[in-house]
Amino acid sequence: MAALNSIPAEVHCAQDYEILARHFLSEGDYAYIAGGCGRDSTLRANREAFDSVRLWPRLLRDVRHGHLASTLLGHALPHPIMLAPLAYQTLAHPQGEIDVARAAAATDSCLILSTLSGRSIEETMPHAGEARWFQLYFQTDRAATLDLVRRAESAACQVLVVTLDTAIKLPSLGALRSGFSMPARVVAANLTNYQAPAALALARGQSRIFQGAMAGAPNLDDLRWLLGQTRLPIVVKGVLHPEDALMLKAMGIAGQVVSNHGGRSLDGAPASLEVLPAMRAAVGPGYPLLLDSGIRSGTDIFRGLAAGANAVLVGRLQVYALAVAGALGVAHMLRLLREELEACMAQAGCATLADIGPQMIYRNKDEA
């Protein structure tokens, strides 16, 4: 079905867009978007982690002056819901990231545009609001990487988000079995003017993985180099281990996204929410941590904030809403998430984000 120009009556909560999206995407396209990596065990773990967290509400708290406002990396945020960088959104809708940017502007939401977006930085960012970040994948040619940075700076992006956990990407077996292949019309618009890297000639006995796919993977020297190339704050996405978090903080990385790439990186890795408390304990209370992977509701957002996140990134829900109703659908989904979070906060007795902490999570004596 073609995307609608109105909000479907069947949408009662943000997650309903996930259910409806099946009617607006082909079977293969839906399998690709919904799938993770390998057997999707981490994809399932993300949802199971959220569902396992029980909240511990308080009574008689005055929330009449409640709000969702906070400050992150020196910028005021009216709410903590950010649009995660998703590749190839023209797969779901012809306007792709342009419509997502319009929705972000309409809802005062921060847009994080992917290097692999179906619409370019120059096409997309004029439609975004003031809160605009750019997600960077290192290119094998440093000149191309630096040009992406300069383009993001020219588009008034406030932060660079460097993804480090998917140097090698394995598809979901479900997507492969569905027969999915990326349509020719869907391209990484930001990379069309860069020369494709030359194919590596492997010697006999060399690995397609180690000496092939991983040959161009970013390393510490690349990250140190990038820190010297821009004045924009750099946030690293894809961090799951406290020791990595401490190393990145010591290097001068401004913040981190606790993420398993929505289950698309290492299949079998822990849920992002599971490791978040340990990450917070490692980096301390004042360091910016964001949470990504598995969020489907305002209550999930509350759980993530209670576990230690300053803000959350919403991934698949945005592309599901985009497929159903374009910019209008994405804006409506964001409004629903915001209202779901407000309702959860009010019922839990939290007037502001500062009131949400680990004390709001119930643990029985066996878990303490």
Side-chain angles (χ1 to χ4, degrees):
M1 292 173 57
L4 304 175
N5 294 316
S6 59
I7 301 301
E10 299 93 331
V11 175
H12 304 289
C13 66
Q15 192 169 7
D16 281 342
Y17 278 106
E18 182 173 14
I19 298 169
L20 285 178
R22 289 181 177 273
H23 303 295
F24 294 83
L25 294 164
S26 71
E27 180 181 354
D29 291 356
Y30 184 88
Y32 169 76
I33 293 168
C37 173
R39 292 172 174 80
D40 293 339
S41 64
T42 298
L43 181 78
R44 292 189 296 273
N46 283 331
R47 284 303 319 147
E48 290 166 359
F50 280 104
D51 290 340
S52 70
V53 173
R54 298 291 175 259
L55 304 181
W56 212 357
R58 300 300 303 273
L59 300 177
L60 302 175
R61 301 295 178 92
D62 187 356
V63 300
R64 290 174 296 175
H65 302 288
H67 62 81
L68 302 182
S70 65
T71 301
L72 184 64
L73 295 172
H75 299 284
L77 290 180
H79 61 81
I81 308 166
M82 309 174 76
L83 290 163
L86 262 68
Y88 306 123
Q89 294 201 43
T90 49
L91 184 67
H93 190 283
Q95 290 298 310
E97 291 80 4
I98 291 176
D99 267 12
V100 174
R102 289 169 174 154
T107 57
D108 296 320
S109 303
C110 180
L111 170 71
I112 309 176
L113 185 69
S114 171
T115 291
L116 301 180
S117 57
R119 294 286 192 161
S120 70
I121 300 169
E122 293 77 13
E123 288 178 295
T124 303
M125 287 309 186
H127 301 280
E130 291 184 10
R132 54 179 73 178
W133 297 9
F134 181 69
Q135 178 270 330
L136 178 70
Y137 281 120
F138 278 101
Q139 304 300 298
T140 54
D141 179 5
R142 277 191 175 178
T145 300
L146 186 57
D147 189 59
L148 284 168
V149 172
R150 296 291 177 256
R151 289 166 64 189
E153 292 170 341
S154 296
C157 293
Q158 299 165 327
V159 174
L160 286 179
V161 179
V162 180
T163 298
L164 293 179
D165 63 332
T166 52
I168 181 172
K169 299 177 185 177
L170 300 178
S172 165
L173 291 174
L176 290 175
R177 289 163 180 160
S178 75
F180 172 80
S181 61
M182 192 66 69
R185 62 179 174 80
V186 179
V187 298
N190 289 315
L191 305 182
T192 54
N193 292 328
Y194 303 140
Q195 185 172 358
L200 289 174
L202 297 177
R204 182 180 178 84
Q206 286 189 315
S207 164
R208 286 196 306 154
I209 305 300
F210 295 123
Q211 290 79 43
M214 295 299 291
N219 55 39
L220 274 173
D221 286 341
D222 292 318
L223 193 56
R224 292 190 187 102
W225 168 80
L226 183 63
L227 283 164
Q229 300 301 317
T230 181
R231 294 183 178 180
L232 292 179
I234 294 178
V235 169
V236 166
K237 181 175 180 287
V239 194
L240 289 176
H241 200 290
E243 291 182 13
D244 290 335
L246 285 171
M247 175 192 66
L248 292 166
K249 181 183 177 183
M251 286 180 64
I253 296 301
Q256 298 172 38
V257 184
V258 180
S259 169
N260 55 43
H261 215 83
R264 288 178 178 262
S265 52
L266 171 63
D267 195 31
S272 301
L273 184 67
E274 287 180 314
V275 301
L276 179 57
M279 299 285 283
R280 174 53 71 198
V283 300
Y287 185 78
L289 284 183
L290 292 79
L291 176 68
D292 172 83
S293 305
I295 290 167
R296 294 293 187 273
S297 69
T299 302
D300 289 344
I301 295 169
F302 186 101
R303 290 166 169 142
L305 299 174
N310 298 100
V312 302
L313 276 58
V314 174
R316 287 180 177 87
L317 275 185
Q318 65 174 287
V319 75
Y320 292 142
L322 178 69
V324 173
L328 181 62
V330 179
H332 183 238
M333 179 274 297
L334 287 165
R335 192 189 79 179
L336 288 173
L337 282 179
R338 181 169 179 168
E339 290 179 348
E340 290 169 14
L341 173 59
E342 290 172 345
C344 184
M345 289 172 63
Q347 290 177 312
C350 297
T352 70
L353 302 186
D355 297 326
I356 307 173
Q359 75 281 0
M360 303 307 301
I361 297 176
Y362 174 77
R363 294 179 176 87
N364 63 41
K365 63 181 180 179
D366 295 328
E367 297 172 313

